Amino acid sequence: MELYAKKVVHIVASADIESRLVKIAQEYNRGGYTIYPARGGGDLGVQSGMLDVDSNIAFMMVVSEKDLDQILQALDRMIKRGYQMIAYVLDAQVLRREKFGVKPS
Amino acid sequence: MELYAKKVVHIVASADIESRLVKIAQEYNRGGYTIYPARGGGDLGVQSGMLDVDSNIAFMMVVSEKDLDQILQALDRMIKRGYQMIAYVLDAQVLRREKFGVKPS
Amino acid sequence: MELYAKKVVHIVASADIESRLVKIAQEYNRGGYTIYPARGGGDLGVQSGMLDVDSNIAFMMVVSEKDLDQILQALDRMIKRGYQMIAYVLDAQVLRREKFGVKPS
Amino acid sequence: MFDFSGLLIPAVLFFMLGFLASVIRSDLKFPEGMSKGLTIYLLVGIGLFGGIELAKVDLSEAIGSVVAAIALGFITPLIAYGILTMVGKVGRMDASAIAAHYGSVSAATFLTAVAFLEARHVNFESHTVIMLAIMESPAIIVGLFLASMSRRMLGLNGQSDDKHNSEGTFGHLLRDAFTNGGVVLLFGSMLIGMIATSNSLDKIMPFFSKQGIFMGVLSLFLLEMGMEAAKRIHEFRKIGFFLVGFGMVMPLVGAVIGLITGHYFLGLSVGGTTLVAVLAASASYIAVPPAMRMAVPEANPSLYLTLAIGVTFPFNVIIGIPLYYQAATWLFG
Amino acid sequence: MFDFSGLLIPAVLFFMLGFLASVIRSDLKFPEGMSKGLTIYLLVGIGLFGGIELAKVDLSEAIGSVVAAIALGFITPLIAYGILTMVGKVGRMDASAIAAHYGSVSAATFLTAVAFLEARHVNFESHTVIMLAIMESPAIIVGLFLASMSRRMLGLNGQSDDKHNSEGTFGHLLRDAFTNGGVVLLFGSMLIGMIATSNSLDKIMPFFSKQGIFMGVLSLFLLEMGMEAAKRIHEFRKIGFFLVGFGMVMPLVGAVIGLITGHYFLGLSVGGTTLVAVLAASASYIAVPPAMRMAVPEANPSLYLTLAIGVTFPFNVIIGIPLYYQAATWLFG
Amino acid sequence: MFDFSGLLIPAVLFFMLGFLASVIRSDLKFPEGMSKGLTIYLLVGIGLFGGIELAKVDLSEAIGSVVAAIALGFITPLIAYGILTMVGKVGRMDASAIAAHYGSVSAATFLTAVAFLEARHVNFESHTVIMLAIMESPAIIVGLFLASMSRRMLGLNGQSDDKHNSEGTFGHLLRDAFTNGGVVLLFGSMLIGMIATSNSLDKIMPFFSKQGIFMGVLSLFLLEMGMEAAKRIHEFRKIGFFLVGFGMVMPLVGAVIGLITGHYFLGLSVGGTTLVAVLAASASYIAVPPAMRMAVPEANPSLYLTLAIGVTFPFNVIIGIPLYYQAATWLFG
Ligand SMILES: Nc1ncnc2c1ncn2[C@@H]1O[C@H](COP(=O)(O)O)[C@@H](O)[C@H]1O
Ligand SMILES: Nc1ncnc2c1ncn2[C@@H]1O[C@H](COP(=O)(O)O)[C@@H](O)[C@H]1O
Ligand SMILES: Nc1ncnc2c1ncn2[C@@H]1O[C@H](COP(=O)(O)O)[C@@H](O)[C@H]1O
Ligand code: NA
Ligand code: NA
Ligand code: NA
């Protein structure tokens, strides 16, 4: 099968800031994103997932190489303003190039 | 630690077609798969995860390089028949080669 | 955006052994880890996720290259003692190097 | 003329609250699994209620309802398919999948109608619950039939030629129609309501009965359905004017058929006739969508989900139920 | 002197059990979503109760409570901010976010106080529930105001200059304060309790009312809160001696203001006065934290969450409520 | 001879429905967390019930039950281990882990027996609930002991030499046995039932008591257990003929011991004796599996889970309970 190189951006953050991240996906990734419920531990202590305030989400976007940088910059702006998150990027090969086209502009 | 090269296939699709994907794992991956609850947004709008019809799953399989292609082809057949999904492949290094052997044939 | 090379360790195991894995994260990864609820299928049959005994978790750690090996060795020790799990490692590029520093020692 | 007091019942008001919450973009959100759990509870409760009532009536009375339910389940989707393809030029695969939803029923709409009737102390025949259970499945079969017919007309070769996929065969898909979780829960609970000793049933009824917590749970569920319905509004533009209109006209068509069936064919009371109208007018969002997603993957799920949840469900809850009740009282006028 | 019998009610005992379970490092864990679901239920139940009671009183009586609630919501966070920045040298952004929590309320603390009063057959005025609903939001506004003032003082340029982020504007943040899920549920349910026909409300009350399962659900929820509170103890060292002390002194300050308001300004009974004290003394962990996480990202969430859930909540449940009740009886002495 | 009417109670029928749903491969599925939540509720409910009853009896009466419970918890796993290793040649590590499950108890089986007895208006002594709570843990200790003995016999050096893992020490594992979530909930709720003021307990009982919604919730839980049990059938071939047989014979062995203990040693009524038999006959699937997964990782979890959930649980619910009851009546014959 023919595959196409894309980037996968993974973010782990408090569930409370979900709407901000969705906004980024809408602006830079044609509204494409996937959210996983998550909990965890880190510098801010344990996020048990039991109360809303204690829940994390993992926010995943499959993005084009060329959209990657402005997405990372948007995330960086959030981080600079104080929003806590971790973010990493993976190299991936996708099926169906047409699902991950350029953003309409 | 010695690690072994494998492929990780990630699929995001409606929870309704889970049984189809499990079938693929049983046929081509010795029944090995992991499912994560998920929600998200894409071309078909928002999948809020609240009702069954509105829930996604992420379906993950660690597969051998040599099984990869027929798994992708099985996915591609599903896509061609109309099933909506996104799928990507990652390069991974696994611990314990014996857990991901060849499929019995 | 500048990115930094890290490793992402993914483990899928029974939810019952979560506390062991958290201990590893605390010992070797400054307490940094993320847990996803999961279910799945493998050599031990189907883990439906309905009862506690039937639930998996995916345990994810973003780690430094240099911490990787001792984490993998800790996992290997668990596996040798009989704990069932699958584990794989991905190459990732992270934002914010300072979030994934060396473990205090 | 239109009597607004019918809207002042908690079920409807909570639906509106959920709708509003979504419209004003509140961050209100039900946790993953909550409405799925509530759905399981509601289906079991309604099934038990139906079974207990069924054990009391004699079977010959019920048989008419069974026949009527099957007939409604077969006829309404055919009409829907006709309207969609002939009036609306909707694609045949989409039309098949949509049609199936209208032949089946929405338990939440039915229960809202029950709450509506009870708030006015209107009695209804308990057979209607059997009809609810029975009507879940036949429409799925009609949908499968329409889809395979459409495939042949369009020259697609669909599922059956796929060697790799035994699930695609008609037999398997048929089985899916009857082993759907919702169908199994409804029928199973009905059977349990019929055969369990009445003494032992009494012990569980504070949990499941309408004298217990059932109606409260329903309200909470409708709160969630309100949010889901409102979320779909954004899709209205995408699915187009014709389909949105169809989502409001088709219930009326169904209701008329239901009213006639309930009043003339089954000879039911005002309450019972209203409920049959509601059954015929409502569109499934539990049993049919997964069946169509599996069996008719060529159809666009946005279309049928938006229609069932975003158009027809709110239409029935807010406008339809009081209207059908009014019509039923006229028939008795 | 201190009357321990007030602690021997299930709500408090389950809180202690959860706390203990966490302290002995039990693997007890609520499934994802369970306490979120219980929270939704509790907010709807309390809203309905308030609405039904409100429909009975005349509006002029209630208006005083509304004014008092708004006043409390504005004044207590200002006092808290003052203490934090002047006595404690807490950073201004952190102080703004923490202050907002103390101006708002904790529904679970309020309900525990209701359980406490009911176990002693002490009546209370139902207006207090309106006050609960109203006090959720104003403090958020004060928090936003304090944060933007602090930003100016610190020379930060915060949210508003960010072209990429219209959500950062004051207007948007204000909207968040009133569209928060908890606020919408409370107000919406209150409205439903007021306007739904009483006959139809009766049908859902076995689910939502205190004669039904409400108090049992509350106990289960407090079990979970106990675990959450205990989990925060590990953070005590990090947040420091001053803040832990603040988390116990501030409720006392609030309670005094609340007692005065309830007794002298509103002329409430012992029960009502106790509840107003509880409202003023309690700190929000539902509506305010997400608002602050969004609007004041510069503040450290560990601080306000540890204070609200790990210090003030247990303090109020175990020590505060009996104390405020005692004080209220003295006022009437 | 075998009286089928005992099966016609909702608890058993819902179990069968779940089983059937899974066998016909229905897509029925409980959302993640639902049965975990129901389990928490059931354990709290049963604990409260036990505690309230305990507060009524005098302690000297209860002490016999406590001793008997501990004895049963120690003896049955030793017998099980003997049968497994000597008759069945099952590996020692697997045998240790399996044995522990049979020394502990299944709360759901116990509650089904309670439902069975209540449907026939048979009274039972409330001490049996204390026995249920007590029997959760001792068998875990026996399991740990058997496992470490087996390790020595097999020349494995297991947990203790692992410098990296303080959790592996016997002390830690012992602590796990008593801090297991289920154990904490049961004991904690029992204590709360004993010490809370009766007036305040009345307020929460519509939620937790058997006159309230408890039995309904149990039915829903058993529906889920039916699905879980059926799922395990596929493993029967893997675990082999001997173990499947063991899963049906061991409950009978346990029941005989339990009947003797209940009737002769404790002098209980028919109902009480039946329940002690059920306790001794049932196998844990809540407290013991995680303990064994942690402490005896060398054992294959498929074996003990399939036995406890797939063989012994259905056996007891369908065949065992009526049988033990019959036997108990004979003893009184
Ligand atoms: N090194 C890490 N590996 C995996 N997840 C992490 C790591 N550090 C932080 N996280 C996740 O990110 C969340 C927030 O991290 P923090 O801001 O450090 O508390 C945590 O609750 C974890 O879920
Ligand atoms: N670019 C993307 N990145 C991450 N997830 C996506 C993306 N596009 C689609 N998805 C996921 O796939 C699901 C179905 O996508 P679609 O068929 O485009 O609606 C969505 O609900 C998302 O969960
Ligand atoms: N090849 C695989 N790909 C993805 N997940 C797997 C695979 N094999 C096992 N798993 C996951 O690991 C869990 C335990 O595997 P096992 O010990 O083989 O039963 C399963 O329940 C799956 O969630
Ligand atoms: Na219909
Ligand atoms: Na306050
Ligand atoms: Na036993």
Side-chain angles (χ1 to χ4, degrees):
Chain A
M1 288 297 309
E2 202 175 350
L3 295 172
Y4 309 89
K6 295 280 165 189
K7 297 286 185 180
V8 170
V9 180
H10 259 278
I11 299 152
V12 180
S14 165
D16 287 335
I17 66 167
E18 177 180 320
S19 64
R20 291 276 156 117
L21 298 170
V22 169
K23 211 152 206 164
I24 289 178
Q26 282 163 348
E27 208 162 332
Y28 304 109
N29 202 34
R30 299 197 315 160
Y33 65 90
T34 298
I35 293 175
Y36 305 105
R39 47 209 175 83
D43 299 341
L44 295 184
V46 173
Q47 290 279 95
S48 68
M50 294 205 278
L51 298 176
D52 271 324
V53 293
D54 246 355
S55 300
N56 285 340
I57 53 168
F59 192 91
M60 185 273 281
M61 287 179 281
V62 181
V63 310
S64 298
E65 175 88 55
K66 67 171 193 27
D67 294 334
L68 179 65
D69 202 61
Q70 53 184 336
I71 288 175
L72 294 178
Q73 257 157 33
L75 294 175
D76 193 55
R77 274 195 301 277
M78 283 186 68
I79 292 169
K80 292 237 172 72
R81 249 181 285 124
Y83 296 100
Q84 304 277 340
M85 67 178 76
I86 66 168
Y88 60 84
V89 181
L90 304 170
D91 288 314
Q93 305 280 107
V94 305
L95 221 55
R96 303 172 74 198
R97 180 168 39 183
E98 75 284 4
K99 283 292 289 180
F100 312 95
V102 298
K103 79 180 173 97
S105 63
Chain B
M1 288 298 309
E2 202 176 350
L3 295 172
Y4 308 88
K6 296 277 165 190
K7 297 287 183 178
V8 170
V9 180
H10 259 278
I11 299 152
V12 180
S14 166
D16 287 336
I17 66 167
E18 177 180 319
S19 63
R20 291 276 155 115
L21 297 171
V22 170
K23 212 151 206 166
I24 289 178
Q26 282 163 348
E27 208 162 332
Y28 304 109
N29 203 34
R30 299 197 315 161
Y33 65 91
T34 297
I35 294 175
Y36 305 105
R39 47 209 176 81
D43 298 341
L44 296 184
V46 173
Q47 291 277 96
S48 67
M50 292 206 277
L51 297 177
D52 272 323
V53 295
D54 247 355
S55 300
N56 285 339
I57 52 169
F59 192 91
M60 184 274 281
M61 287 179 282
V62 181
V63 309
S64 298
E65 175 87 55
K66 67 171 194 25
D67 294 334
L68 179 65
D69 202 62
Q70 53 183 337
I71 289 175
L72 294 178
Q73 258 157 30
L75 295 175
D76 192 54
R77 275 195 301 275
M78 283 185 68
I79 292 169
K80 292 234 171 75
R81 249 181 283 125
Y83 296 101
Q84 304 276 340
M85 68 179 75
I86 66 168
Y88 62 83
V89 181
L90 304 171
D91 289 315
Q93 305 280 106
V94 306
L95 221 56
R96 303 174 74 199
R97 179 168 39 181
E98 74 286 2
K99 284 292 289 181
F100 314 95
V102 297
K103 78 179 171 99
S105 63
Chain C
M1 288 298 309
E2 201 175 351
L3 295 172
Y4 309 90
K6 295 277 166 193
K7 297 287 183 179
V8 170
V9 180
H10 260 277
I11 299 152
V12 180
S14 165
D16 287 336
I17 66 167
E18 177 180 319
S19 64
R20 291 275 156 115
L21 298 170
V22 169
K23 209 150 209 168
I24 289 177
Q26 282 164 348
E27 207 162 333
Y28 303 109
N29 203 34
R30 299 197 314 161
Y33 65 91
T34 297
I35 293 174
Y36 305 105
R39 46 207 176 82
D43 299 341
L44 296 183
V46 174
Q47 289 279 96
S48 68
M50 293 205 277
L51 297 176
D52 271 323
V53 294
D54 247 354
S55 299
N56 285 340
I57 53 168
F59 192 90
M60 185 274 281
M61 287 178 282
V62 181
V63 310
S64 298
E65 174 86 54
K66 68 169 192 27
D67 294 334
L68 179 65
D69 201 61
Q70 52 184 337
I71 288 175
L72 294 178
Q73 258 157 31
L75 294 176
D76 193 54
R77 274 195 301 277
M78 283 186 69
I79 292 169
K80 292 237 173 73
R81 249 182 284 124
Y83 297 101
Q84 304 276 341
M85 68 179 75
I86 65 169
Y88 61 84
V89 181
L90 303 171
D91 289 315
Q93 305 280 107
V94 306
L95 221 56
R96 302 172 76 197
R97 179 168 39 181
E98 74 285 2
K99 283 293 288 181
F100 313 94
V102 297
K103 77 178 173 98
S105 61
Chain D
M1 226 218 62
F2 183 80
D3 179 3
F4 282 104
S5 76
L7 303 180
L8 297 182
I9 60 173
V12 177
L13 291 170
F14 275 104
F15 178 82
M16 289 171 169
L17 176 58
F19 199 94
L20 189 78
S22 189
V23 166
I24 64 173
R25 269 186 278 155
S26 165
D27 64 351
L28 181 59
K29 200 160 53 194
F30 272 41
E32 175 117 13
M34 181 158 170
S35 33
K36 297 168 195 172
L38 297 181
T39 300
I40 290 174
Y41 165 86
L42 292 173
L43 291 174
V44 170
I46 200 172
L48 282 173
F49 170 70
I52 291 170
E53 293 298 315
L54 250 175
K56 293 183 198 154
V57 303
D58 81 302
L59 224 69
S60 64
E61 269 185 60
I63 203 80
S65 310
V66 173
V67 173
I70 296 176
L72 285 175
F74 276 101
I75 293 166
T76 44
L78 293 176
I79 296 175
Y81 183 80
I83 297 177
L84 287 164
T85 53
M86 288 187 282
V87 183
K89 313 292 178 209
V90 175
R92 290 188 177 280
M93 300 313 295
D94 286 332
S96 306
I98 295 170
H101 288 72
Y102 285 87
S104 184
V105 292
S106 150
T109 311
F110 180 83
L111 290 171
T112 308
V114 168
F116 174 91
L117 293 175
E118 293 200 332
R120 326 188 142 229
H121 304 288
V122 177
N123 292 321
F124 55 89
E125 286 82 0
S126 53
H127 322 162
T128 47
V129 182
I130 327 173
M131 297 183 66
L132 168 73
I134 287 173
M135 283 179 73
E136 292 276 347
S137 306
I140 296 178
I141 301 168
V142 180
L144 298 183
F145 163 77
L146 287 172
S148 83
M149 192 190 71
S150 302
R151 262 185 218 111
R152 242 170 300 132
M153 292 172 74
L154 296 168
L156 300 173
N157 42 20
Q159 312 279 334
S160 37
D161 67 302
D162 186 345
K163 294 295 164 291
H164 293 279
N165 183 10
S166 66
E167 267 189 24
T169 63
F170 202 80
H172 270 86
L173 295 170
L174 207 65
R175 218 209 46 198
D176 284 357
F178 290 99
T179 60
N180 170 276
V183 173
V184 167
L185 277 181
L186 256 179
F187 271 103
S189 307
M190 197 172 278
L191 200 69
I192 291 174
M194 284 177 71
I195 65 176
T197 62
S198 82
N199 174 35
S200 67
L201 278 169
D202 289 348
K203 299 268 161 43
I204 66 168
M205 291 327 272
F207 185 54
F208 289 115
S209 80
K210 286 181 290 179
Q211 283 71 47
I213 67 172
F214 189 86
M215 283 306 183
V217 177
L218 176 66
S219 295
L220 217 48
F221 180 73
L222 282 164
L223 174 61
E224 211 278 323
M225 285 303 293
M227 288 190 267
E228 282 291 311
K231 210 193 73 182
R232 307 275 167 190
I233 296 184
H234 306 293
E235 311 286 314
F236 277 20
R237 218 164 19 100
K238 283 194 211 159
I239 72 170
F241 181 77
F242 173 77
L243 278 181
V244 175
F246 173 84
M248 296 194 271
V249 170
M250 189 62 214
L252 296 176
V253 174
V256 169
I257 302 175
L259 287 166
I260 293 168
T261 308
H263 185 62
Y264 296 108
F265 181 66
L266 295 173
L268 299 178
S269 66
V270 171
T273 302
T274 305
L275 290 180
V276 176
V278 167
L279 288 175
S282 69
S284 165
Y285 60 88
I286 292 185
V288 182
M292 292 301 117
R293 183 115 54 172
M294 280 294 232
V296 193
E298 304 95 331
N300 179 352
S302 294
L303 300 184
Y304 49 75
L305 290 175
T306 302
L307 281 179
I309 300 172
V311 185
T312 298
F313 187 79
F315 178 82
N316 277 327
V317 165
I318 312 273
I319 298 170
I321 293 171
L323 205 65
Y324 312 151
Y325 170 69
Q326 198 75 320
T329 55
W330 283 336
L331 282 178
F332 278 78
Chain E
M1 226 218 65
F2 184 80
D3 178 3
F4 282 104
S5 76
L7 304 179
L8 296 182
I9 60 173
V12 176
L13 292 169
F14 274 105
F15 178 81
M16 288 172 170
L17 177 59
F19 200 93
L20 188 79
S22 190
V23 166
I24 63 173
R25 268 184 281 154
S26 165
D27 64 350
L28 181 59
K29 200 161 53 194
F30 272 40
E32 176 116 13
M34 181 158 170
S35 33
K36 297 168 194 172
L38 297 181
T39 300
I40 291 174
Y41 165 86
L42 291 172
L43 290 173
V44 170
I46 201 172
L48 282 173
F49 170 71
I52 292 171
E53 293 298 315
L54 251 176
K56 294 182 198 155
V57 304
D58 81 302
L59 224 68
S60 65
E61 269 184 60
I63 203 78
S65 310
V66 172
V67 173
I70 296 176
L72 285 174
F74 276 101
I75 294 166
T76 44
L78 293 176
I79 296 174
Y81 183 81
I83 297 177
L84 288 165
T85 53
M86 289 188 281
V87 183
K89 314 292 177 207
V90 175
R92 290 189 178 281
M93 300 313 295
D94 287 333
S96 306
I98 295 171
H101 288 73
Y102 284 87
S104 184
V105 292
S106 151
T109 310
F110 180 84
L111 290 171
T112 307
V114 168
F116 174 91
L117 294 175
E118 293 200 331
R120 324 187 145 230
H121 304 287
V122 177
N123 292 321
F124 54 89
E125 284 81 3
S126 53
H127 323 162
T128 48
V129 182
I130 327 174
M131 296 181 68
L132 168 72
I134 286 173
M135 283 178 73
E136 292 276 347
S137 305
I140 297 178
I141 301 168
V142 180
L144 298 183
F145 163 77
L146 288 171
S148 82
M149 191 190 71
S150 303
R151 262 186 217 108
R152 242 170 302 133
M153 292 173 74
L154 296 168
L156 299 173
N157 43 20
Q159 312 279 334
S160 39
D161 67 300
D162 186 347
K163 293 296 163 292
H164 294 278
N165 183 10
S166 65
E167 267 189 23
T169 62
F170 201 80
H172 270 85
L173 294 170
L174 208 65
R175 216 209 48 197
D176 284 356
F178 291 100
T179 61
N180 170 274
V183 174
V184 167
L185 278 181
L186 257 177
F187 271 102
S189 307
M190 197 172 277
L191 200 69
I192 291 174
M194 285 177 72
I195 66 176
T197 62
S198 80
N199 173 35
S200 68
L201 277 169
D202 289 347
K203 298 267 162 44
I204 65 168
M205 290 327 271
F207 186 53
F208 289 115
S209 80
K210 286 181 290 180
Q211 285 70 48
I213 66 172
F214 188 86
M215 282 306 182
V217 177
L218 175 66
S219 295
L220 217 48
F221 180 73
L222 282 165
L223 174 61
E224 212 276 325
M225 285 303 292
M227 288 189 268
E228 283 290 312
K231 212 192 73 184
R232 306 277 167 189
I233 296 184
H234 306 294
E235 311 286 313
F236 277 20
R237 217 162 21 99
K238 281 193 213 161
I239 73 171
F241 180 77
F242 173 76
L243 279 182
V244 174
F246 173 84
M248 297 193 270
V249 171
M250 189 62 214
L252 296 175
V253 173
V256 169
I257 302 176
L259 287 165
I260 293 168
T261 309
H263 184 64
Y264 297 106
F265 181 67
L266 295 173
L268 299 178
S269 66
V270 170
T273 302
T274 305
L275 290 180
V276 176
V278 167
L279 288 175
S282 69
S284 166
Y285 59 89
I286 293 185
V288 182
M292 291 302 117
R293 183 115 54 173
M294 281 293 232
V296 193
E298 304 95 332
N300 179 354
S302 294
L303 300 184
Y304 48 76
L305 291 175
T306 301
L307 281 179
I309 300 173
V311 185
T312 299
F313 188 79
F315 177 83
N316 277 328
V317 165
I318 312 273
I319 298 170
I321 293 172
L323 205 66
Y324 311 152
Y325 170 68
Q326 199 74 321
T329 55
W330 284 335
L331 284 179
F332 277 79
Chain F
M1 225 217 67
F2 185 80
D3 178 3
F4 281 105
S5 76
L7 304 180
L8 297 182
I9 60 172
V12 176
L13 293 169
F14 274 105
F15 178 80
M16 289 173 169
L17 177 59
F19 200 93
L20 188 80
S22 189
V23 166
I24 63 173
R25 269 186 278 154
S26 165
D27 64 351
L28 181 59
K29 201 160 53 194
F30 272 40
E32 175 117 13
M34 180 158 171
S35 33
K36 297 168 195 173
L38 297 181
T39 299
I40 290 173
Y41 165 86
L42 292 173
L43 291 174
V44 171
I46 199 172
L48 282 173
F49 170 70
I52 292 170
E53 293 297 316
L54 251 176
K56 293 181 199 156
V57 303
D58 80 302
L59 224 69
S60 63
E61 270 185 60
I63 203 80
S65 310
V66 172
V67 173
I70 296 177
L72 285 174
F74 276 101
I75 294 166
T76 44
L78 293 176
I79 297 175
Y81 183 80
I83 297 177
L84 288 165
T85 52
M86 288 187 282
V87 184
K89 314 293 177 207
V90 175
R92 291 190 176 280
M93 301 312 296
D94 286 333
S96 307
I98 295 171
H101 288 73
Y102 284 87
S104 184
V105 293
S106 150
T109 311
F110 180 84
L111 290 171
T112 308
V114 168
F116 174 91
L117 293 175
E118 292 200 331
R120 326 188 143 227
H121 304 289
V122 178
N123 292 322
F124 54 88
E125 285 81 2
S126 52
H127 322 160
T128 47
V129 181
I130 326 173
M131 296 182 68
L132 168 73
I134 287 173
M135 283 178 73
E136 292 276 349
S137 306
I140 297 178
I141 301 169
V142 181
L144 298 183
F145 163 76
L146 289 172
S148 82
M149 191 191 71
S150 303
R151 262 186 217 110
R152 243 170 301 133
M153 291 172 74
L154 296 168
L156 298 173
N157 43 19
Q159 311 279 334
S160 39
D161 67 302
D162 186 346
K163 294 293 163 294
H164 293 279
N165 183 11
S166 65
E167 268 190 22
T169 63
F170 202 81
H172 269 87
L173 296 170
L174 207 65
R175 217 207 50 199
D176 284 358
F178 291 99
T179 60
N180 169 275
V183 173
V184 168
L185 278 181
L186 257 178
F187 271 102
S189 307
M190 196 172 279
L191 201 69
I192 292 174
M194 283 177 72
I195 65 176
T197 62
S198 81
N199 174 35
S200 68
L201 278 169
D202 289 348
K203 299 268 162 44
I204 66 168
M205 290 327 271
F207 186 52
F208 289 115
S209 79
K210 285 181 290 179
Q211 284 71 48
I213 66 172
F214 189 86
M215 283 305 182
V217 176
L218 175 66
S219 296
L220 217 49
F221 180 72
L222 282 164
L223 175 61
E224 211 277 324
M225 285 304 291
M227 288 190 268
E228 282 291 313
K231 211 192 74 182
R232 306 276 167 190
I233 296 184
H234 306 293
E235 311 286 314
F236 277 20
R237 218 162 21 99
K238 282 194 213 161
I239 74 169
F241 181 76
F242 173 77
L243 279 182
V244 174
F246 174 83
M248 297 194 269
V249 170
M250 189 62 214
L252 296 175
V253 173
V256 169
I257 302 175
L259 286 166
I260 294 168
T261 308
H263 185 62
Y264 296 107
F265 182 66
L266 296 173
L268 300 177
S269 67
V270 171
T273 302
T274 305
L275 290 180
V276 176
V278 166
L279 288 175
S282 69
S284 165
Y285 60 89
I286 292 186
V288 183
M292 293 301 116
R293 183 115 54 174
M294 280 294 232
V296 194
E298 303 94 331
N300 179 352
S302 294
L303 299 184
Y304 49 75
L305 291 174
T306 303
L307 281 179
I309 300 173
V311 184
T312 298
F313 188 79
F315 178 82
N316 277 328
V317 165
I318 313 273
I319 298 171
I321 293 171
L323 204 66
Y324 312 152
Y325 171 68
Q326 198 75 321
T329 55
W330 283 336
L331 283 179
F332 278 79

